[in-house]
Amino acid sequence: MLVDSIGPRNKIAFNFFGIIQLIYSFIEGSCIRHAVLEKVSRDTNSKLVTLKSLSTTRWACQSEAIAAIKSNYSILLQAIEEIKNSTRNPEIKTKAKGLIIKMKSFKFIFALNMLHPILLSIAKVSSKLQTEKLELLTAVDLITGLKNTLSEFRSYDHDFDVIYDATLKKCAEFNIDIPEVKKQKISSRVDPNKETQHFIESKKEEMKYSCYFVTLDEMLSGLNSRFNQETLSIISAVGNLINLTTSEDEYVCLSNTFDINIDELKSEIKLLNNFSNTEMPKGTSTVTITQWLQWLSHSDRADIFNNFNKTLQLFTTIPVTSCSCERGFSKLNIVKSKLRASMKQERLDSLLFMSIEQEICTKIDYGEIIEEFNTLVPGNRRLVL
């Protein structure tokens, strides 16, 4: 989540993710190189955290991959150094040498310390948003809290000072040189009033403006584009609606979004609050919406509470996250393998449905299916595969 917001304009962070993936591919691409890493871990009596590959769909992998590199940094350096000295393959030797140079650079250490706390906060929110029984009001609070957290990173110097001090300490520990700031010179022909210009004079200031602020600005921009205030207002309004505690502003928001009559919806909510049925759903989660729709489908309740029913039906077509769609593509790669490349669309749809909705399939009584198959007309007992 939000990692795709970091574009090539932020070269330090953009290149950092490429180095992370190269480290993973280099170590995990060979059983021998992985064995060297485990051997160094045992020799140094250090705990080895499993390396993770970056993912384009599962954003939590970005945080896990960075956390693994940060925890295994010294072990990885020793292991790659040992691989470089022991290998006879010139290609492997060159790759190992290049990784050591990249890992022992000031920019890599700074990006490692900068992105770890930021992505940790993002991963916490991302994992919660992908839960099955997501509380709508909690989702709004989490997204708002994440925006405020990133804004605090951006506004207060304390967080940046901690990151930069940790970078200096790491560089001193591994004898990594801190590059000097390149002095900028502006010709008087270009700007005769160059004394009024601001020039960056320290490395700390340079990293703050060229990398730290740029990263946070891109993430905040990505977060605002995905969850703007209008979207959050709709989610919050529906969350209070299914809890039968809708405010006046939320009635207006629902009316403008779903084209419903405000007065009729208010009367329906009053009726529901005074309804004597004890089986009415309670809560503010996405499961509660399904329970409400099932409750309304009985005894012509959908016709009585038509505005309430319409709002919930339309809202179910607007998912809070795209994890369901991403899960479908992930399952497609598993189901449609090379051995199943020639199957027809109908069979592929059926296999995908069973793979995605595994909870429904596990509740099926196979005895009933066998009995139904046994009672079919003898001429039609062959199943189409």
Side-chain angles (χ1 to χ4, degrees), residues 167-184:
T167 303
L168 295 180
K169 183 178 179 181
K170 199 80 168 179
C171 291
E173 180 182 353
F174 292 92
N175 298 320
I176 299 173
D177 296 331
I178 300 175
E180 296 181 357
V181 179
K182 293 182 179 180
K183 300 295 182 179
Q184 296 180 346

Side-chain angles (χ1 to χ4, degrees), residues 364-382:
I364 295 176
D365 187 357
Y366 296 110
E368 294 181 3
I369 297 177
I370 295 173
E371 185 64 28
E372 182 179 353
F373 178 72
N374 188 44
T375 56
L376 292 174
V377 180
N380 296 331
R381 290 184 63 180
R382 185 181 296 276

Side-chain angles (χ1 to χ4, degrees), residues 13 52 75 111 122 149 152 183 187 201 205 207 218 228 246 254 281 305 327 345:
K52 299 288 185 180
I75 305 173
I122 294 175
T149 300
E152 285 185 1
K183 300 295 182 179
S187 174
E201 298 180 353
E205 193 177 4
M207 300 305 293
E218 288 177 338
N228 55 39
T246 312
L254 293 173
F305 307 102
R327 192 178 296 119
Q345 185 65 37

Side-chain angles (χ1 to χ4, degrees), residues 136-197:
L136 297 179
L137 300 182
T138 303
V140 174
D141 291 339
L142 283 173
I143 295 167
T144 305
L146 180 59
K147 287 182 179 181
N148 295 335
T149 300
L150 295 180
S151 297
E152 285 185 1
F153 275 117
R154 179 73 167 76
S155 303
Y156 298 106
D157 293 335
H158 172 72
D159 294 312
F160 176 77
D161 292 339
V162 172
I163 292 170
Y164 194 80
D165 292 342
T167 303
L168 295 180
K169 183 178 179 181
K170 199 80 168 179
C171 291
E173 180 182 353
F174 292 92
N175 298 320
I176 299 173
D177 296 331
I178 300 175
E180 296 181 357
V181 179
K182 293 182 179 180
K183 300 295 182 179
Q184 296 180 346
K185 295 182 179 180
I186 299 180
S187 174
S188 58
R189 296 179 181 179
V190 178
D191 186 4
N193 300 319
K194 61 180 180 179
E195 292 80 7
T196 61
Q197 299 292 328

